[in-house]
Amino acid sequence: MKQVEEKEEASVYQRVVLKNASPYHYLKVRLVLEDESTRLSAVELKYFIITGLKSLYGEVGAAVNFDVLKYDEDTLTALLRVYSRSLVKLWSSLTLLGSYQNKACAFRVLQVSRLDPRSSLIIRIFSEVSPFLLALTGNSRDLHLD
Amino acid sequence: MVRLKSRYLLCEVNVSDRSQLLLLDDRAIMVAVKAAVARTHGDYGAAMCSIRFCVKYLNAHTGIVFLRFPKRCYKLLWSALPFITSIETRGQKIPCFLNCLHVGVKLRVCTKAQYKGNTNYLQPKTNKQLKKHEV
């Protein structure tokens, strides 16, 4: 009960509903390889994802438009952007991608969101924090409940 | 009551050399359609094709073929048919393309459409029909 009172004092709770705010979905993924010393360039990563899409969804799947917005070669973490209509196809093909050059690998999806995680500017404009945008700063997948 | 719903596609196989039509086999067409679906839609399409897909009827003289697809994915599998460029039978590759003429819910409706189409849609098969077209 105390926590609720504090919330009411601190900020005016405002519910903002944005329907179809963005035609894109953003995926933050990390490639985990059996052999941790191998490195991929951004182009190789994109080609690898396209081969996964092609094996599962064929030529139509390989034509799915997605972009690698950010890529960190050391941690093999990438930020992908895809049209919302093709999110299911991309995500399912990432799940089923099992081997890179005959070595076992896995894609770990760290974050998925509708709004661009790079746009921290939006968070600063609103004085109260809306629950929709808060999802981007925090990562519920890393949340550990004791 | 739970019903298994399907869609029947009435297709025509167009070949440049009419004598090659007689070599057609329903198994060959099945293989060609499955290969085209696997190429165009990948493992997902190939899996959808494996359930309740079959060649119901084939007439080698006119080149008419009935394909049966499940109702929930017939549009996706239909979209792969234009990618068929050849059918392989008895060691020969016959270059052809599939023309879809009618989509029916029941096989009976498809057969009716076939009889109707014998005069309108299809190319003239015999000399008699050719003369009729000319006139």
Side-chain angles (χ1 to χ4, degrees):
Chain A
M1 279 301 288
K2 250 191 186 177
Q3 283 174 338
V4 171
E5 281 169 357
E6 277 170 27
K7 252 193 208 170
E8 282 173 355
E9 281 171 359
S11 63
V12 177
Y13 184 75
Q14 189 187 23
R15 190 165 167 229
V16 177
V17 178
L18 298 165
K19 282 191 175 178
N20 295 323
S22 154
Y24 298 107
H25 261 86
Y26 298 87
L27 270 163
K28 194 168 182 184
V29 293
R30 185 194 304 148
L31 177 59
V32 174
L33 292 165
E34 197 180 17
D35 176 18
E36 280 169 38
S37 60
T38 40
R39 290 281 170 262
L40 277 93
S41 69
V43 176
E44 282 172 359
L45 179 81
K46 186 159 186 186
Y47 179 68
F48 180 45
I49 297 174
I50 289 178
T51 47
L53 275 165
K54 193 166 184 180
S55 76
L56 185 57
Y57 290 109
E59 299 287 344
V60 168
V64 160
N65 266 327
F66 72 96
D67 305 303
V68 179
L69 298 177
K70 266 190 178 173
Y71 180 58
D72 183 6
E73 269 207 50
D74 301 315
T75 53
L76 293 174
T77 312
L79 186 61
L80 307 173
R81 178 182 68 177
V82 68
Y83 276 103
S84 304
R85 215 187 281 172
S86 329
L87 174 71
V88 174
K89 286 197 168 155
L90 180 68
W91 199 342
S92 54
S93 58
L94 288 177
T95 308
L96 292 174
L97 261 183
S99 62
Y100 176 68
Q101 292 178 351
N102 296 323
K103 278 172 263 178
C105 77
F107 268 99
R108 302 268 182 249
V109 177
L110 304 171
Q111 242 182 318
V112 182
S113 76
R114 252 213 140 120
L115 290 181
D116 189 353
R118 295 179 301 179
S119 55
S120 51
L121 186 64
I122 298 171
I123 298 165
R124 267 182 249 140
I125 287 170
F126 287 111
S127 54
E128 64 273 8
V129 184
S130 80
F132 190 43
L133 291 170
L134 183 62
L136 299 169
T137 53
N139 196 353
S140 64
R141 284 162 192 260
D142 291 337
L143 188 68
H144 294 288
L145 295 168
D146 297 321
Chain B
M1 197 181 81
V2 176
R3 283 183 83 161
L4 289 175
K5 299 190 179 177
S6 320
R7 289 284 180 266
Y8 295 89
L9 258 73
L10 169 65
C11 298
E12 190 201 353
V13 181
N14 284 66
V15 280
S16 46
D17 186 10
R18 296 213 53 81
S19 59
Q20 284 180 326
L21 251 187
L22 295 167
L23 297 168
L24 279 180
D25 189 18
D26 59 343
R27 200 170 286 178
I29 292 187
M30 197 156 165
V31 163
V33 171
K34 277 195 173 168
V37 166
R39 221 183 321 136
T40 316
H41 296 294
D43 291 339
Y44 181 63
M48 285 207 291
C49 215
S50 65
I51 311 166
R52 249 182 18 251
F53 160 63
C54 69
V55 176
K56 270 293 183 182
Y57 167 84
L58 168 66
N59 188 335
H61 295 280
T62 53
I64 292 289
V65 59
F66 285 173
L67 302 168
R68 180 182 71 177
F69 294 123
K71 179 191 161 188
R72 52 190 167 81
C73 56
Y74 80 99
K75 280 188 184 170
L76 195 75
L77 301 173
W78 186 2
S79 68
L81 293 183
F83 292 96
I84 299 175
T85 52
S86 63
I87 297 177
E88 200 170 315
T89 54
R90 299 178 206 182
Q92 273 189 46
K93 248 190 179 174
I94 307 169
C96 64
F97 67 93
L98 283 174
N99 228 358
C100 180
L101 303 171
H102 186 259
V103 179
V105 177
K106 286 189 182 171
L107 199 54
R108 196 174 6 125
V109 180
C110 257
T111 42
K112 270 193 201 165
Q114 186 199 9
Y115 293 135
K116 228 197 255 178
N118 265 331
T119 48
N120 295 331
Y121 300 120
L122 307 177
Q123 297 166 6
K125 309 292 179 204
T126 59
N127 281 328
K128 210 178 176 181
Q129 284 176 331
L130 254 172
K131 279 184 190 165
K132 207 177 169 184
H133 260 255
E134 279 169 33
V135 169

